[in-house]
Amino acid sequence: LPPLQAIYQTPKLKVRNTLPRWLLPLKHCHKHLAAMAEDGAVTLYKATSITDAKKNSFSIKAGLAQMLRGGAIVEVSTLSQAKIAEEAGACCLVITEPNRQGISRMPDPSIIKQIKRCVLIPVMARSRVGHFVEAQILERVGVDYIDESEVLAIADEDNFINKHNFGCPFVCGCKNLGDALRRVREGAAMIRTQGDLLGTGNIAETVKNVRSVMGEIRILNNMDEDEVFAFSKEIAAPYDLVAQTKQMGRLPVVHFAAGGIVTPADAALMMQLGCDGVFVGSEVFDKGSDPYKRVRGIVEAIRHYNDPHVLVENSCGLEEEMAGLNVSEETMEPFGEGGA
């Protein structure tokens, strides 16, 4: 059988009479892929996902991120913490370096390899914003997801990583809808609405940012089609993604919340506000005697966030466990003084 390309280029040759019937669909597929390869633009694909034909398929990365919906992604820094989180039902682990002075960078690859050998759930690691070489290293190590995280030091103040150059799904943070859609255009397969970065257990900033994203989506849903152009310009987001968000009534990728989530009630609150899951900080391992109970309670709260009976059961007996996760009065801004 001659190559398909040679058949197409042969003059006065009827393709339908030359190809076997079972190969006929490949003719149209081949032409479609060739046309996509010539067009290097990132385009809407079936109105539900985004893809770049020249590089790595975004639809595959978005599908991998969808696997984490309805779960808790737990931050760990040691093998023992990773095993506790896995046993408690975490859907993924974020491997981070233990607290250290100075510039915070990606975790040591040897720690990632050690934890990957001992757990069966997906593993995520953080790279600095704009540091594409750290992302290359993490992808080579074999992590399942990369978090381009503002929690670490920022490597590039003006540019984020071009995530379409990687086969590994990326997670990016945001504080509003414009941030979220700009990160999706860069190739993020999951959006993380970020709140408190200090590990104090204060959820106020997370609630504020999640409500901001959800509020802007509701405003967009109620807009006339002609107003979407001006709205996309106002929030500095690509028009096609804004239109897709309006059509879907939600972000076009998986949406998690992070920062200050340390109790089952916190996790259920994020889910009821419209998130698909939560990130749990490593502070749940720092205080108390039973981190398994705390992580398990958060996992169950996410799965049954609308069931008050389950939430009551998983919230009982946690007051002593959470005693070290209270925000001091010096770090709290009095209500009403911050523009509330």
Side-chain angles (χ1 to χ4, degrees):
L1 185 67
L4 291 177
Q5 188 174 2
I7 292 175
Y8 299 147
Q9 295 176 351
T10 303
K12 298 180 182 179
L13 182 64
K14 294 184 179 179
V15 175
R16 185 172 295 277
N17 295 333
T18 305
L19 291 177
R21 180 169 298 179
W22 60 272
L23 271 179
L24 287 178
L26 291 181
K27 170 193 172 187
H28 307 288
C29 179
H30 183 272
K31 287 185 175 180
H32 178 63
L33 291 177
M36 289 179 66
E38 292 175 1
D39 179 14
V42 179
T43 58
L44 290 178
Y45 193 73
K46 292 186 179 178
T48 57
S49 59
I50 307 161
T51 185
D52 186 345
K54 273 193 169 182
K55 298 173 185 176
N56 300 290
S57 173
F58 183 88
S59 56
I60 296 176
K61 302 176 195 175
L64 292 172
Q66 288 279 348
M67 295 171 59
L68 303 180
R69 288 186 66 180
I73 302 177
V74 182
E75 181 180 327
V76 301
S77 55
T78 65
L79 180 58
S80 60
Q81 291 178 356
K83 290 181 177 179
I84 291 172
E86 181 182 29
E87 292 172 2
C91 68
C92 182
L93 303 177
V94 183
I95 302 176
T96 61
E97 286 279 6
N99 294 331
R100 63 182 182 185
Q101 301 296 324
I103 299 296
S104 53
R105 302 179 178 87
M106 72 173 190
D108 188 333
S110 63
I111 299 177
I112 299 174
K113 292 179 180 179
Q114 180 186 22
I115 293 178
K116 276 182 61 67
R117 285 194 295 265
C118 298
V119 299
L120 300 177
I121 59 178
V123 168
M124 182 185 299
R126 289 173 175 161
S127 70
R128 284 178 279 177
V129 171
H131 205 312
F132 54 86
V133 175
E134 283 190 351
Q136 291 169 0
I137 294 171
L138 293 176
E139 184 174 44
R140 182 60 182 146
V141 170
V143 299
D144 300 289
Y145 305 89
I146 298 175
D147 185 353
E148 187 178 10
S149 179
E150 63 274 22
V151 176
L152 306 181
I154 295 178
D156 191 330
E157 295 183 354
D158 299 319
N159 304 289
F160 282 75
I161 297 172
N162 181 3
K163 291 160 273 290
H164 292 290
N165 290 335
F166 295 83
C168 186
F170 270 75
V171 181
C172 283
C174 77
K175 292 187 176 181
N176 53 58
L177 181 59
D179 277 349
L181 296 183
R182 287 192 293 274
R183 300 294 84 79
V184 174
R185 169 56 75 233
E186 293 162 359
M190 178 192 290
I191 291 298
R192 164 183 42 76
T193 299
Q194 185 65 51
D196 172 51
L197 299 176
L198 302 177
T200 59
N202 186 7
I203 201 174
E205 188 71 16
T206 310
V207 172
K208 174 185 174 183
N209 294 337
V210 169
R211 283 195 178 276
S212 173
V213 173
M214 297 303 179
E216 288 177 305
I217 292 176
R218 285 192 295 271
I219 292 173
L220 176 62
N221 290 341
N222 293 323
M223 278 185 179
D224 186 79
E225 295 290 344
D226 297 335
E227 299 173 327
V228 177
F229 294 96
F231 183 75
S232 63
K233 183 178 180 180
E234 178 185 341
I235 65 174
Y239 167 76
D240 57 341
L241 292 184
V242 175
Q244 185 177 349
T245 302
K246 175 177 171 59
Q247 178 186 4
M248 299 177 66
R250 55 157 294 140
L251 287 177
V253 297
V254 178
H255 179 204
F256 274 52
I261 301 170
V262 293
T263 69
D266 293 340
L269 173 62
M270 294 296 101
M271 298 298 290
Q272 292 192 29
L273 286 176
C275 295
D276 298 315
V278 302
F279 281 74
V280 182
S282 60
E283 57 264 27
V284 295
F285 295 100
D286 295 339
K287 304 292 182 180
S289 58
D290 193 356
Y292 172 86
K293 182 178 180 180
R294 282 174 283 167
V295 177
R296 184 63 184 175
I298 292 174
V299 169
E300 288 296 314
I302 294 172
R303 294 175 179 172
H304 308 280
Y305 61 91
N306 275 326
D307 189 340
H309 300 289
V310 176
L311 296 179
V312 168
E313 290 180 9
N314 288 283
S315 298
C316 290
L318 291 180
E319 182 177 357
E320 181 180 350
E321 299 291 331
M322 300 298 174
L325 296 176
N326 296 325
V327 185
S328 63
E329 294 183 2
E330 290 79 6
T331 60
M332 293 185 66
E333 182 178 0
F335 181 76
E337 292 185 6

